[in-house]
Amino acid sequence: MEAPTPHEVEVVHRTLTDHLPILQVIIPLLAAPLCVLLRERALVRGMAIGVAWTCLAISVTLLQHVMEHGVISYAVGGWDAPFGIEYRIDLLNAYILVVVSAIAAVVFPFGRGGEGLALNPARVHLFYAALLLCLCGLLGMAATGDAFNIFVFLEISSLASYSLIALGRGRRALRAAYSYLVMGTIGGTFFLIGIGLLYQTTGTLNIVDLHDRLQPVIGSRTVVVAFAFLVVGLGIKLALFPLHQWLPNAYTHAPAKISAFLAATATKVGFYVLLRVLFTIFGATFVFTTLRLHNLLLPMSLAAMFVGSLAAIAQTDIKRLLAYSSIAQIGYMTLGVSMGNVDGLAGGIVHLFNHAMMKGGLFLVVACVVLRTGSAKIDDMAGLGRKMPLTMAAFVVGGLSLIGVPATVGFVSKWYLVKGALERGWEPVALLILLSSLLAVIYVWRVLEVIYFRERPEGAKEVGEVDATMLIPTWILIGAAVFFGLRAELTSQVALDTARMLLGTGL
Amino acid sequence: MSGLPIYWMAIVLMMVGLYTVIARDNLVKKIMGLNLFQVAVIMLYVSMGKVEEGTAPILDHGHLPEGFQHFSNPLPHVLMLTAIVVGVATTALGLALAVRIKEEYGTVEEDEIVLMDQALERGEG
Amino acid sequence: MIEQIPPGLILIVGGLLLPLMPKEVRKVLLVVLPAAGLAHMIQLPTDHVLAYSVFDYDLTMVKVDKLSRIFGIIFHIAAFLTAIYTLHEDDPVQQVAGLTYSGGAIAAVFAGDLITLFVFWEATAITSVFLIWASRTERSYKTGMRYLVMQVGSGVLLLAGAIVYFQQTGSVDIEPWTDLGHHQMRGMFAFDSFGEASLAQLLIFFAFGIKAAFPLLHNWLQDAYPEATVGGTVWLSAFTTKLAIYALCRMYAGSDVLIPIGATMTAFPIFYAVIENDLRKVLAYSLNNQLGYMVVGVGIGTELAINGTASHAFAHILYKGLLFMGMGAVLYRAGTVKGSELGGLWRQMPYTTVFTSVGAAAISAFPLFSGFVSKSMILTAAANEQHIITFCILLFASAGVFHHSGIKIPYFAFFAHDSGKKVKEAPLNMLIAMGIAAALCIGIGIWYQPLYDLLPFDMNALHWVPYDTAHVVTQLQLLLYSAAAFVFLQKMGWYPPELKSTNVDVEWVYRKGLKDVALATGRALDVGYTTFRDELFGVAWGIVERIKRWHSPGGPLGEPWPIGAAAIAAAIMLILFLALGWL
Amino acid sequence: MSDHGHGPPSVAPEKVKVIVGFLFFICAVAVLGELLPSFHPHEHAGLEFVNTFGFHAWYGFLSCVLLVLAAAQMRKLVMRDEDYYDRD
């Protein structure tokens, strides 16, 4: 045996705290098979909630650590980067980890479990196993610094979400899950091709290392092809117009709680990976100066904003309305990216966080409605303002935030987007942002009109307010949407710092 | 024609797979197409690992085996083990969904399923 | 803590929460919220300031001084009375609109900078239009749209002015008056002739001018108020225009241009009031005329004139509200307020008759009624500053006001010839609201000192006594001989009868003139052009239709595509992204 | 009074006569009020004519007569059918 190297000595002396980056991925991963073994519904549910809160605690600790001491690099199994897999937590992923685990911590306890699932109650533990795997995948994507590892976690979370969506009531959930599976697999495979081509060119999979080694060959055809495959593959995952076709049906027919969870996290993590690919792997100069990505991303984003909003106006199903609105909101995020300046990018990043809160909250409201009335048709919500005042008030606040009314988070994101557009000299784009907000007024107002100004039809099912297990998670998310709207500096400062870091103009 | 023939093979296989996904209405055939598509990528990766004149990356008493100057790269093979697992899982889940769809709709032809869903929606609206 | 709540917020937030409440709670809140708001506002000290910052800009949410205080108080009282007046109806739309509208107006009064003012300025516009739409008729819908265009337009001008001003000075704060000596005040934006005004001054001037219903900008008022609901008109009559008077007073005090503008406003609407048949529209014209006095007062800008303006606004909100309440009660019971269809209601609605007559006496400024103790200040201020022509016009208008508001309204509604209508007395809550308003009209006329104590400048220092023999005698002469003239004209048969009609006003320009011109142009041009225009219209309409169809469920963008199509989309996007590298 | 209206007068003609008589009486009193010892007209430069005897009385009367006659003439100019704007 050779004498231990200094490196190995360091591994021996690591404490539990040092393992936090991997722990929050490992814990849900191990908890999932444990669910299958335990089987007992209450136990499994409690464990899932416990795992979610543990992950939240870990991610908050990590974020604090990153804000104070800078980037954390963790070598899995003691194999140092670039040869081993590196978990690399900087400001951006720390932020995403907090968003994802916070949403999980709020959404998992929602309801008593098992409602709205097309599943034998004796098998609910499998649902939680899938849910934990999905969480594991999302956190893993955000935490890892290895491109191939991202693919693996991407597939873990995707496979879990296909099965979760298929658990929705009604056979259309099956078709939605199937479509998502096919499209998601194409997206994932595109991503894999992109990584393969990059590996072929550079011989590394570590994201930071990739960036350095790509610079000498950045203009080569292989790199450009890899870029196209990566962006389109991720575009499918984050439902960028016109690659969004899987999303409306998936969100509409999935169990309501799953819609809330996925809408608030899955596309957000996809967006995060897009940021990583664009800015950390390829670098802003290549993306915006050489390729001029904005020429394509800007029209796609604008189309997403308008098609999503217009389609939302025309829907008769509230879940589908929210799903189309999500497509529009994703358009805002990529619009921020396409601006390629600090304000725009910060607007996109802060909107990621804001949209997670408001859309998560709104889908939870819908989950309450579906549970009480058994229908997600907008017309069936007539007169609910009186019957479910607290739930519907949450919808009002969430809707206002979607529009971007001042004092809500929606306003903060739009502020930075408009600022970014003006800075870039894209006055018409700033105008279009405001115009699409007007469309949001229409689709939110349509629902509010039904809720408050239409009488509950004679003979309609008698309904009442939902219980605290649903109201509290809903109002936590909606309340956060107002809290962070009033204290905008809390989120926007992180977003601005992150944007500066990604664009390489600071930090 | 430039590039190695193996790349062209991978591309052709990929296109066949994607074409099947696009053109076939049968959900099981779509899964098969998806499989072809994934296999093409696996072949692309595996071919990357081959180094001309390279041998298996196993040390022979701490030295390269006689007559070899290089090792082949083992990493792509390792990566593809994971990708194959992902592919198997996807196929299994996809087929399971196809079975459930067959149970619920009585068919696995997508065009028929779309028509049934639209009729249902019109009935409700 | 309680100081951190801006005035008006209680009404706005409370109003927005109303739809969540059951019917009975809504009714209680409707009355309690204005009372609570008043109690909260009263205890704020007069130099209270509440600043906040939005992004990097420091703004002032609340700035209390004597001027904002008196407007705040009367706005709360008006909201309280109107709330009582509308209790018999259960229309959440009106209740929400009424409370948020009044709350917005109150918050605007206390705004310490132009941006905050703009926010609440627009808030009053958007909330108040629902009081018109609440009539739920085709006609009220169109009227509401016209109203909204004018009101929002005013807000846009205000914002534009604020931005220009900010670029010039780097500040959006609303500055206090400059004291020029000789009891003369000057607002931050005051100017004496249009030639010397800067762009910011002009933009904001016209923003205020629209809401204050300056001549030629006035027509939205007469257009909208008669179309609102019974209660809606009472809400409307109190806030929008008085908010504009307040804003003018704060920023344009001492602007000479306001004096002829105000004098015109007092005179010309009364001609329309004489021949108008819809009695609520008569009141709208007379409201316009009353605003004229206040505008003149602002324009004069002496301490006495400003006190006169503030006290006249205070008294005016009460008696004008009372008159609209009276006509609202008639409309509610008789189903019409057309002079030609009314008459002789005093037997069936005795209380309403008495209360409306009190309002009529107050607006006519009879001694012992509220109008007398406030209006005479403005006239005296005009005389003091030797605005001779203005003074004569104001005097003429005073006689005219009595003639159409003081005599015509009660006469044609309650007396004259029996219309044969069988109606009931107004509901109790209406009577209570009218009773309180009437009591206040008389109370202020007799015990005016509490009102004078609220005014921005110390009345004792101004040596002002409302009741001296000369004031009382001359005012009585003016009014009584106007009444005699009414009798004389009726006897001679010269009095224009009440006729069903529409009297065209400035609105003709945009409601008829422009339309006719467009039509005539269309006809004059050749068929090819018409065809082209129709084609264009058809194409535009077709595009709208297509957008609708495409995005609806079942349309290509309103419903997810089958897997094959989605995969093709992915392939095409791949090609497009690949193309980026080659272009 | 005038021939306007549809039904019978809502106040009996005798009562109207009394009311009108009372009005004329207080009109006279109001003018005589200027003779009161406590009557001290306010002096304003340029507005001396306002303080001539009975000025407010005749000014009020004349204002109203002119106002109504002018308005009646104006009617010829501005009056339209009730549904004027609703027609095309």
Side-chain angles (χ1 to χ4, degrees), chain C residues 153-364:
Chain C
S154 158
V156 171
L157 286 177
L158 174 56
L159 182 63
I163 292 171
V164 173
Y165 180 68
F166 181 76
Q167 281 176 341
Q168 284 165 356
T169 63
S171 158
V172 284
D173 291 342
I174 297 174
E175 308 289 344
W177 292 312
T178 318
D179 189 345
L180 300 180
H182 313 289
H183 306 294
Q184 177 74 43
M185 295 293 146
R186 198 163 173 84
M188 65 186 288
F189 288 138
F191 59 92
D192 292 325
S193 67
F194 284 107
E196 65 172 64
S198 72
L199 180 61
Q201 280 174 315
L202 282 178
L203 286 169
I204 298 177
F205 185 79
F206 283 106
F208 294 173
I210 290 175
K211 281 217 184 193
F214 281 2
L216 304 184
L217 303 176
H218 67 283
N219 210 224
W220 60 268
L221 196 161
Q222 289 84 351
D223 188 18
Y225 286 16
E227 291 302 326
T229 58
V230 168
T233 308
V234 183
W235 284 113
L236 288 172
S237 73
F239 302 104
T240 299
T241 48
K242 261 61 73 182
L243 175 60
I245 295 295
Y246 163 80
L248 278 172
C249 192
R250 176 149 306 271
M251 288 172 241
Y252 286 93
S255 296
D256 285 351
V257 286
L258 286 175
I259 297 171
I261 290 175
T264 317
M265 277 168 82
T266 58
F268 96 91
I270 59 180
F271 290 95
Y272 274 96
V274 169
I275 52 173
E276 180 55 50
N277 186 25
D278 182 327
L279 295 185
R280 289 206 298 177
K281 205 163 187 172
V282 173
L283 286 178
Y285 275 113
S286 96
L287 196 159
N288 202 345
N289 140 286
Q290 295 292 307
L291 295 172
Y293 289 102
M294 299 175 216
V295 172
V296 169
V298 173
I300 295 168
T302 59
E303 292 183 355
L304 182 66
I306 287 174
N307 271 358
T309 301
S311 58
H312 198 52
F314 194 99
H316 165 83
I317 287 176
L318 289 170
Y319 60 64
K320 191 82 254 164
L322 175 56
L323 286 167
F324 271 118
M325 286 184 201
M327 287 306 105
V330 169
L331 174 63
Y332 182 66
R333 285 304 193 207
T336 178
V337 276
K338 299 262 160 69
S340 55
E341 295 166 20
L342 290 172
L345 293 180
W346 67 275
R347 284 180 212 280
Q348 292 124 318
M349 306 181 78
Y351 293 110
T352 308
T353 307
V354 170
F355 294 143
T356 309
S357 304
V358 170
I363 195 175
S364 317

Side-chain angles (χ1 to χ4, degrees), chain C residues 139 275 338 340 347 384 392 403 415-418 468-469 474 477 481 490 496-497 502 504 507-508 511-512, chain D residues 2 4 6-8 10 27 30-31 34 38 42 44-45 56-57 59 68 75 78-82 84-86:
Chain C
R139 203 180 150 96
I275 52 173
K338 299 262 160 69
S340 55
R347 284 180 212 280
N384 281 347
C392 291
H403 182 265
F415 303 107
H417 289 259
D418 211 325
D468 70 10
T469 313
T474 52
Q477 281 183 8
Y481 279 82
Q490 286 275 15
T502 297
V504 291
E507 63 195 341
W508 184 87
R511 288 184 69 179
K512 196 79 182 176
Chain D
S2 81
H4 149 74
H6 12 228
S10 66
C27 277
V31 176
E34 288 196 29
S38 60
H42 301 264
H44 297 289
H56 286 86
Y59 191 83
V68 170
R75 220 174 210 184
V78 300
M79 193 166 82
R80 300 288 188 279
D81 289 343
E82 218 171 6
Y84 175 65
Y85 287 121
D86 301 327

